[in-house]
Amino acid sequence: MNRKLILMTSLFIIIEIILGILIQFTHQTLHIVLCYLSVVIACGFSFIFLKKDSFLTQLGLLFTVFADLFLVVITPMLQIPAMICFSITQMCYFLRLYLNEKSKKEKFIHIITRITTSILIIILTIIILKEKTDFLSIISTFYYANLIINIIIAFRKSNKSILFSIGLLLFSLCDLQIGIAILNDSYINVSNNIILNFLSNPPFNFAWLFYVPSQTLIALSVINDKTSTN
């Protein structure tokens, strides 16, 4: 890593740390601006590295920017377009991981596992929510199921990029809190469960505590992103 790259990377990390801290102590318009800025900067940093290997990761970060435009910036938030964008993000990360599978057998197992899990989670969603099932609940569970699969496979291939693996894990912790809050508001009452109630209404910004470092690490993973085409 040359001096210029070290300087840019260090500056990027410092900026994201500062934004992550400020997000916890700001409100209203300034809070929205800082939240969205942290995501845009992470995406922008990744595009410094214009190489074929990092394209899928950059595309995933770009669709994350679009998703947060619908969730964070626009009022009222547009959840369905946001979840569609987040799902595309996970498909980009799926392709990054898929292309790093060494053999046709591994790729086949990967595809079958992902399709089967996605179908099962949609069926389970319909069974649990029954008449409350809607497109938002289906696309959200599809997205989260694929995020979890990406995490499992990324850690199995963590020698490729541990930063990417940890970034995805932090991504899931952020979404866990948001998902529980949405469940509580629209689908299932979690107020009787102490843990779920805490996660639904934490005394601090639980989601962005994990979200800022998740996007930072995923963006940093682009530096050594090497996608195999074998």
Side-chain angles (χ1 to χ4, degrees):
M1 190 180 292
N2 60 47
R3 181 179 294 181
K4 183 178 179 181
L5 181 56
I6 292 174
L7 180 62
M8 289 191 300
T9 302
S10 300
L11 182 61
F12 167 60
I13 293 172
I14 291 170
I15 290 172
E16 291 289 11
I17 289 173
I18 292 172
L19 288 173
I21 293 171
L22 291 176
I23 285 169
Q24 295 295 325
F25 299 100
T26 53
H27 305 281
Q28 300 178 339
T29 302
L30 178 58
H31 178 76
I32 292 171
V33 170
L34 293 176
C35 287
Y36 195 60
L37 189 60
S38 69
V39 179
V40 172
I41 289 175
C43 179
F45 174 79
S46 75
F47 275 94
I48 292 174
F49 308 93
L50 298 176
K51 54 183 183 178
K52 181 181 178 182
D53 291 337
S54 61
F55 173 72
L56 288 169
T57 309
Q58 292 165 333
L59 192 61
L61 287 164
L62 182 60
F63 272 96
T64 300
V65 169
F66 294 152
D68 284 317
L69 176 65
F70 294 121
L71 280 183
V72 178
V73 178
I74 295 177
T75 304
M77 68 175 66
L78 302 174
Q79 291 178 309
I80 290 177
M83 293 315 301
I84 290 173
C85 288
F86 273 135
S87 295
I88 295 173
T89 291
Q90 293 310 315
M91 291 300 99
C92 290
Y93 297 157
F94 144 60
L95 288 173
R96 167 180 171 165
L97 294 165
Y98 176 80
L99 292 175
N100 277 322
E101 298 287 6
K102 293 181 179 179
S103 67
K104 290 183 179 180
K105 181 181 178 180
E106 286 183 338
K107 290 182 176 181
F108 178 75
I109 293 173
H110 186 154
I111 290 291
I112 293 300
T113 301
R114 190 173 294 272
I115 292 174
T116 302
T117 303
S118 297
I119 292 173
L120 288 176
I121 199 66
I122 291 172
I123 293 173
L124 188 60
T125 300
I126 295 171
I127 292 173
I128 293 174
L129 297 183
K130 299 177 182 178
E131 69 279 357
K132 290 186 177 181
T133 303
D134 54 16
F135 183 74
L136 178 60
S137 62
I138 290 174
I139 191 68
S140 297
T141 51
F142 169 83
Y143 152 75
Y144 201 72
N146 278 276
L147 171 55
I148 296 301
I149 294 172
N150 284 342
I151 292 170
I152 293 170
I153 295 174
F155 272 101
R156 186 168 64 85
K157 301 281 186 180
S158 59
N159 61 308
K160 293 284 185 180
S161 178
I162 189 63
L163 295 181
F164 184 62
S165 306
I166 297 173
L168 289 177
L169 179 60
L170 294 175
F171 205 145
S172 72
L173 292 175
C174 163
D175 287 333
L176 176 64
Q177 190 275 325
I178 294 174
I180 291 172
I182 292 173
L183 278 174
N184 190 37
D185 290 339
S186 305
Y187 301 103
I188 300 172
N189 189 345
V190 300
S191 58
N192 294 326
N193 187 298
I194 295 175
I195 296 176
L196 293 180
N197 188 49
F198 171 79
L199 290 174
S200 179
N201 302 284
F204 56 93
N205 200 320
F206 185 100
W208 284 86
L209 179 67
F210 293 105
Y211 194 48
V212 174
S214 82
Q215 298 309 297
T216 302
L217 291 177
I218 291 172
L220 287 171
S221 77
V222 167
I223 296 174
N224 295 314
D225 192 358
K226 295 185 183 298
T227 303
S228 171
T229 55
N230 294 333

